[in-house]
Amino acid sequence: MAKWVYLFKEGKADMKNLLGGKGANLAEMTNLGLPIPQGFTVTTEACTDYYNSGKKITDEIKGQIFDALKILEEQQGKRFGDTENPLLVSVRSGARASMPGMMDTILNLGLTDAAVEGFAKKTGNPRFAYDSYRRFIQMFSDVVMEISKAKFERVLDEIKEKKGVKFDTELTADDLKDVIVQFKALYKAEKGTDFPQEPTEQLIEAVTAVFRSWDNPRAIYYRRMNDIPGDWGTAVNVQAMVFGNMGDTSGTGVAFTRNPSTGEAKIYGEYLINAQGEDVVAGIRTPQPITKLEQDMPAVYVEFMRIATLLENHYKDMQDMEFTIEDKKLYFLQTRNGKRTAPAALQIACDLVDEGKITKEQAISRIEAKSLDQLLHPGFDVAALKAAKPVGKALPASPGAAAGKVYFTAEDAKKNHEKGERVVLVRLETSPEDIEGMHAAEGILTVRGGMTSHAAVVARGMGTACVSGCGEINIDEEAKYFTIAGQTVKEGDYISLDGSTGNIYIGDIPTVEAAISGNFDRIMTWADEIRTLKVRTNADTPADAANAVKFGAEGIGLCRTEHMFFDAERIPKIRKMILSKTVEAREEALNELIPFQKSDFKGLYEVMEGRPVTIRFLDPPLHEFVPTEEDDIVALAKDMGLSVEEVKATCDSLHEFNPMMGHRGCRLAVTYPEIAKMQTRAVMEAAIEVKKEKGFDIIPEIMIPLVGEKRELKFVKDVVVETAEAVKKEKGSDIEYHIGTMIEIPRAALLANEIAEEAEFFSFGTNDLTQMTFGFSRDDAGKFLDAYYTNKIYESDPFARLDQDGVGQLVQMAAEKGRATRPNIKLGICGEHGGDPSTVEFCHKVGLNYVSCSPFRVPIARLAAAQAVLNNK
Ligand code: ADP
Ligand code: MG
Ligand code: MG
């Protein structure tokens, strides 16, 4: 019989896949002899089994749950549902990777009308007993029965108002009894049945709810954002309750062994006296900094610090811990490697290496490559920031600079972000439903909540600037405005947030670019020592190229020449070329373009100082260049001595039903070889001149796009070679050059062995290769892919993360076939995927020579390439 349930003492830290992160660490802490309320874990495999069994928990699994419960009852000396001394448990979700805020915990399970009386008598504290019961009813109804939490909050608020008190802690036992009666009535009104009075039924319902929550839309979205496969499932932890809400010698809190925003090596956290569970993060009352515990309960603080230090040394990483104090007795409820901002990640990694606790390799493998993105994005312009006067200040919950238009709901933020606006999300407090809006926002501002509130934790995870807990704000979310320092800010007004200081500004403060220095530079140097894959950039302008070199690019893997034609001075010339009726006229128009192209290429060669530069010849369908505005059409007609009707007719004739598969790529050069001639001349002259003027050793790399057949490549290549040789002769130069192709049509991958006879290098154009392999276009797929995610058909966007199963097979096959024909063929990738860490690892595994990505992703790719080496040792 399979084992579906593990007692905490049966598990270990390395059983995360089976027990989930929370369960594995609870087990590890139990075995370290730490004060952990005991319990058991229902495995992730049981979750998978639940889905495979048509969303049912089998009798076998239920049986194992009840067996474990019996053992727990014996350990605790309490019985489930007992009317004298009832056992209460929490039911906590916990997947392999932590998914903050995705699935809610249920506390105080096991309370019933009868058990609460026993509980009150046993503890001698009726107020506390009723408080626990009302919390349980509320959580169970919300999480398991999906009755909105807000309805219960309203009842509670009404009673608080009636009693003239501000905090729930001020309600008496009798008040709370009243709350319970009303809560149960609300439950019955919503569900049509009484609140369940059988604890085992409560338990199975709760476990089922956790399994079900694995597939809620928020969880699916989070998984997609973080590359977490849907078939991992979540484990469920059932744990004996300890109580932080027993009075003023009790409390609950969260803490990090080092500062998760800056990495500073100092304990960091918050706690609330007389509170339970999520009270700290929900921002209901303002918590105390952890250091205050030293005064409140000195002995508890000493014990807390002892265990915190022990845990950090044990896991050799910064820990994020949750604890509860029950009448001066300390319990740990969770530990995990803490989420941190990118600056903190670098600081902690460098410190741990310096403290001799981890190796450089361990440091490298721990930093999440994607998170480096945060460091590469702008901060505020120092002068502009100095000149601006903050209108308020709150908690610096997640560092970074953000300026944008204010929106008050996640949907509005998302919608306007999609329209291309920079948005700032302003909320009373955030909840897991807001995740997409938070993701869309440049920055987040909340009125309530501490440094460990939902907004703060999620923002730090996403690297989004966040200022939280700004009590000075009066907000009206429905009327869509807030006031601060006597000023009113309406929806659509600009504000700026400094997540590093907590300052809030009205207006749009300009930002400046980032640089690699300090810890960042140190880590990148370590990564460079380890990696074997080269990292190039996709850049079309000297400015982009220079930026990429600053970030460590070792060459240009893709220069899209068409981007050079949209300039106001040039577009009329390319239009003239397109509309030309004869080869001569076309050549004449193209000749006018040569000086422009040549100066573009010279600019790139100069910036790149002899590093390789791959120049891709014209790729898009020509209709992308033709005029659509009446004025432009008239001007063009005049310039060419044609009638407006004639110009319009020619433009119309260029229309294609499926331009993605139309007259583009090397097909342009097959029909108009003069285009390839012009571009070859510009490349060669630029290279020869820069070589002579600056002394750089330049070997031009000319890349022919969209090839599907060897003879097609050969045809264009012959044109290129003929022109290149002619230029060399004219200039008396013996410069070398390479001609290669993109592999972006499935047929090219299939026949890569033949194509390699003509190509000196391959560059995988995975954008086109993905569209053509899937048969859907990148520009249209957004419309239906969401339905594919919700229905779990695809789990991630194949345009963001390379589909290794399908498209990856083509890449691997083409690489092998190419090498079989030409052993020293150079292989790279230049699609958008080149900067995605999982794709970088794939490229490393199939033996490509380099990846090429946008300048801002170069450091990410460098780190990911080093991690690929470490993961595949
Ligand atoms: P999350 O994954 O959202 O952090 P947890 O399962 O850690 O959810 O539960 C949230 C909080 O509930 C914990 O930090 C702790 O304060 C409280 N909690 C959970 N289980 C217990 C328990 N057995 N006794 C007391 N408090 C608990
Ligand atoms: Mg937790
Ligand atoms: Mg392409």
Side-chain angles (χ1 to χ4, degrees):
M1 191 165 62
K3 187 166 168 65
W4 304 104
V5 177
Y6 287 72
L7 298 173
F8 288 170
K9 65 176 189 217
E10 293 177 311
K12 293 212 294 281
D14 63 11
M15 289 166 72
K16 280 201 175 68
N17 293 1
L18 189 62
L19 303 179
K22 199 179 282 170
N25 286 335
L26 283 167
E28 186 79 5
M29 289 195 289
T30 297
N31 291 322
L32 285 171
L34 300 182
I36 311 302
Q38 283 305 292
F40 55 87
T41 305
V42 188
T43 65
T44 55
E45 285 172 1
C47 178
T48 309
D49 184 81
Y50 162 83
Y51 282 102
N52 292 341
S53 314
K55 302 201 183 171
K56 272 206 190 70
I57 301 180
T58 59
D59 288 341
E60 180 177 299
I61 295 176
K62 279 185 195 161
Q64 292 191 17
I65 291 176
F66 294 138
D67 289 347
L69 188 64
K70 205 161 287 152
I71 297 174
L72 187 61
E73 285 179 329
E74 276 157 26
Q75 274 175 354
Q76 303 291 314
K78 297 178 184 176
R79 292 244 317 284
F80 216 35
D82 198 55
T83 50
E84 286 184 4
N85 189 13
L87 171 68
L88 305 191
V89 297
S90 64
V91 176
R92 319 171 63 189
S93 64
R96 258 195 239 186
S98 91
M99 294 174 58
M102 287 294 113
M103 289 166 273
D104 287 325
T105 296
I106 299 160
L107 302 178
N108 310 332
L109 188 138
L111 280 175
T112 60
D113 292 351
V116 75
E117 299 303 335
F119 191 50
K121 232 177 276 151
K122 179 81 199 169
T123 57
N125 189 345
R127 189 205 171 276
F128 156 69
Y130 296 124
D131 186 51
S132 302
Y133 193 24
R134 70 96 187 159
R135 286 169 188 267
F136 171 55
I137 297 173
Q138 187 170 349
M139 270 183 277
F140 187 87
S141 305
D142 168 33
V143 178
V144 179
M145 295 298 167
E146 290 165 12
I147 308 173
S148 156
K149 207 164 29 197
K151 294 187 175 156
F152 292 92
E153 290 292 349
R154 214 169 297 143
V155 172
L156 195 62
D157 283 343
E158 274 167 24
I159 293 184
K160 279 197 291 195
E161 202 172 319
K162 210 170 73 193
K163 299 285 165 184
V165 302
K166 197 160 167 219
F167 297 113
D168 57 274
T169 42
E170 297 168 272
L171 293 174
T172 64
D174 282 335
D175 297 339
L176 289 164
K177 264 184 164 166
D178 211 19
V179 173
I180 291 166
V181 170
Q182 295 200 34
F183 274 11
K184 286 197 320 196
L186 175 61
Y187 182 94
K188 185 152 193 186
E190 291 283 329
K191 288 271 114 176
T193 54
D194 285 320
F195 188 78
Q197 294 296 324
E198 181 50 63
T200 49
E201 181 197 331
Q202 296 173 349
L203 180 62
I204 295 301
E205 287 281 6
V207 173
T208 310
V210 174
F211 287 161
R212 202 168 54 217
S213 75
W214 176 250
D215 258 359
N216 74 32
R218 282 183 270 135
I220 291 175
Y221 180 78
Y222 186 90
R223 290 205 289 271
R224 182 149 52 84
M225 261 172 66
N226 293 281
D227 289 345
I228 297 173
D231 59 13
W232 279 5
T234 180
V236 186
N237 302 289
V238 178
Q239 186 175 26
M241 283 300 300
V242 289
F243 299 95
N245 54 334
M246 264 194 164
D248 289 340
T249 51
S250 302
T252 176
V254 296
F256 297 83
T257 54
R258 295 173 192 236
N259 186 310
S261 289
T262 64
E264 191 193 359
K266 220 172 104 190
I267 193 82
Y268 177 91
E270 297 168 323
Y271 71 103
L272 265 181
I273 290 289
N274 197 10
Q276 193 174 48
E278 307 280 66
D279 289 359
V280 187
V281 285
I284 294 163
R285 281 182 280 148
T286 302
Q288 305 280 348
I290 189 77
T291 42
K292 177 116 196 313
L293 190 62
E294 199 170 3
Q295 296 150 34
D296 286 353
M297 296 183 221
V300 174
Y301 184 74
V302 168
E303 174 70 349
F304 169 78
M305 283 306 294
R306 180 186 75 83
I307 296 175
T309 310
L310 183 150
L311 286 173
E312 181 178 289
N313 290 338
H314 183 73
Y315 287 98
K316 295 188 167 69
D317 200 356
M318 185 265 267
Q319 295 298 296
D320 167 359
M321 303 157 300
E322 298 175 6
F323 61 94
T324 284
I325 303 161
E326 178 182 304
D327 195 20
K328 294 197 174 162
K329 167 98 180 79
L330 175 69
Y331 293 93
F332 272 63
L333 288 165
Q334 187 169 349
T335 195
R336 62 182 166 208
N337 296 336
K339 289 220 186 285
R340 59 204 79 179
T341 63
L346 300 181
Q347 185 68 49
I348 291 168
C350 288
D351 285 350
L352 288 173
V353 170
D354 293 341
E355 291 164 24
K357 291 187 179 146
I358 59 171
T359 62
K360 288 178 192 176
E361 285 75 17
Q362 283 172 310
I364 288 293
S365 41
R366 280 206 193 149
I367 295 164
E368 199 196 340
K370 269 189 188 165
S371 74
L372 295 182
D373 188 51
Q374 296 167 29
L375 301 169
L376 301 167
H377 284 292
F380 283 123
D381 175 81
V382 179
L385 190 66
K386 230 176 175 174
K389 216 176 124 299
V391 288
K393 189 178 167 85
L395 299 172
S398 175
K405 291 186 180 174
V406 167
Y407 289 97
F408 292 93
T409 68
E411 299 86 83
D412 287 342
K414 182 173 174 235
K415 201 171 66 202
N416 289 288
H417 166 75
E418 279 164 5
K419 280 190 200 148
E421 283 183 2
R422 285 174 292 127
V423 308
V424 172
L425 180 64
V426 182
R427 305 275 289 150
L428 189 59
E429 61 198 336
T430 63
S431 70
E433 288 84 35
D434 293 332
I435 186 134
E436 291 189 66
M438 296 173 78
H439 198 221
E442 307 287 320
I444 299 158
L445 172 61
T446 69
V447 179
R448 287 198 203 151
M451 294 294 283
T452 51
S453 65
H454 177 264
V457 171
V458 174
R460 280 199 293 271
M462 299 194 298
T464 301
C466 175
V467 174
S468 72
C470 185
E472 302 154 42
I473 287 181
N474 270 312
I475 188 169
D476 188 332
E477 288 183 323
E478 266 162 41
K480 302 194 174 177
Y481 73 86
F482 72 82
T483 57
I484 184 167
Q487 301 195 54
T488 300
V489 178
K490 297 188 301 296
E491 181 182 73
D493 291 348
Y494 275 103
I495 63 167
S496 302
L497 301 177
D498 187 338
S500 315
T501 59
N503 280 335
I504 303 160
Y505 304 85
I506 291 181
D508 188 9
I509 301 179
T511 51
V512 286
E513 279 175 23
I516 298 189
S517 58
N519 291 333
F520 194 3
D521 191 35
R522 226 177 140 198
I523 298 273
M524 292 319 293
T525 308
W526 296 342
D528 290 347
E529 286 163 15
I530 296 168
R531 72 186 161 94
T532 52
L533 205 54
K534 297 263 181 221
V535 178
R536 295 195 189 184
T537 191
N538 298 350
D540 319 320
T541 65
D544 283 355
N547 208 17
V549 169
K550 210 173 75 189
F551 290 151
E554 298 168 287
I556 291 181
L558 175 65
C559 162
R560 300 172 166 98
T561 52
E562 58 271 18
H563 288 179
M564 298 168 167
F565 293 133
F566 286 99
D567 190 88
E569 244 185 304
R570 308 173 183 192
I571 190 90
K573 298 185 168 57
I574 189 134
R575 285 174 178 164
K576 208 158 137 185
M577 181 278 284
I578 294 170
L579 291 225
S580 296
K581 293 263 153 66
T582 63
V583 177
E584 292 71 33
R586 205 155 29 241
E587 278 179 340
E588 197 181 306
L590 282 164
N591 281 338
E592 289 183 42
L593 282 168
I594 289 185
F596 292 105
Q597 278 267 274
K598 187 164 129 185
S599 75
D600 291 331
F601 297 147
K602 282 185 77 170
L604 285 179
Y605 284 135
E606 284 168 9
V607 168
M608 295 310 289
E609 302 185 327
R611 295 178 184 88
V613 175
T614 303
I615 291 171
R616 180 182 70 183
F617 278 10
L618 197 64
D619 185 51
L622 293 180
H623 78 91
E624 286 189 12
F625 298 104
V626 303
T628 49
E629 304 281 329
E630 188 71 21
D631 288 357
D632 293 339
I633 296 173
V634 172
L636 185 61
K638 197 161 149 228
D639 188 27
M640 296 193 67
L642 298 171
S643 74
V644 171
E645 284 65 41
E646 254 178 300
V647 171
K648 278 190 179 158
T650 317
C651 293
D652 288 346
S653 74
L654 288 170
H655 172 264
E656 292 178 300
F657 286 103
N658 192 348
M660 182 183 97
M661 301 209 189
H663 193 185
R664 55 172 287 222
C666 64
R667 295 159 204 164
L668 294 170
V670 171
T671 47
Y672 306 127
E674 17 342 317
I675 298 177
K677 278 189 205 157
M678 179 281 277
Q679 293 200 293
T680 306
R681 177 165 284 278
V683 169
M684 295 303 290
E685 288 187 3
I688 292 169
E689 285 176 24
V690 175
K691 188 173 175 176
K692 195 145 63 187
E693 289 161 13
K694 307 273 172 174
F696 300 132
D697 188 19
I698 298 173
I699 304 175
E701 296 178 355
I702 292 173
M703 181 154 78
I704 315 294
L706 220 73
V707 163
E709 156 63 41
K710 176 182 126 182
R711 276 170 298 208
E712 186 184 32
L713 174 60
K714 173 87 167 56
F715 179 89
V716 182
K717 185 179 166 184
D718 286 348
V719 174
V720 172
V721 169
E722 190 189 305
T723 312
E725 291 303 324
V727 174
K728 276 169 67 178
K729 205 147 161 216
E730 277 167 37
K731 306 277 171 187
S733 167
D734 61 352
I735 197 168
E736 264 182 74
Y737 59 96
H738 298 307
I739 301 174
T741 184
M742 293 188 64
I743 302 291
E744 51 187 339
I745 289 186
R747 189 174 194 276
L750 294 165
L751 296 172
N753 51 329
E754 291 183 10
I755 289 176
E757 289 168 18
E758 297 296 338
E760 291 172 80
F761 61 87
F762 286 168
S763 179
F764 292 95
T766 46
N767 298 344
D768 268 307
L769 191 58
T770 297
Q771 355 194 39
M772 302 213 203
T773 303
F774 277 82
F776 50 61
S777 98
R778 179 169 57 156
D779 304 312
D780 300 313
K783 290 185 193 142
F784 53 78
L785 275 180
D786 268 338
Y788 278 71
Y789 303 140
T790 8
N791 293 308
K792 300 220 287 184
I793 298 169
Y794 294 135
E795 287 185 343
S796 63
D797 178 355
F799 294 105
R801 184 174 195 259
L802 189 76
D803 159 46
Q804 295 180 13
D805 300 337
V807 178
Q809 258 190 65
L810 289 172
V811 172
Q812 182 169 7
M813 178 181 68
E816 283 162 8
K817 287 186 172 221
R819 281 224 168 93
T821 302
R822 190 188 286 266
N824 64 349
I825 190 166
K826 204 188 282 177
L827 303 172
I829 177 175
C830 65
E832 226 44 53
H833 304 92
D836 165 64
S838 68
T839 310
V840 172
E841 177 162 355
F842 173 79
C843 293
H844 171 83
K845 282 198 283 202
V846 301
L848 301 196
N849 301 96
Y850 68 86
V851 296
S852 188
C853 55
S854 63
F856 280 101
R857 301 221 284 182
V858 166
I860 297 174
R862 285 162 73 194
L863 183 60
Q867 291 174 339
V869 172
L870 299 173
N871 290 345
N872 293 282
K873 255 192 179 148

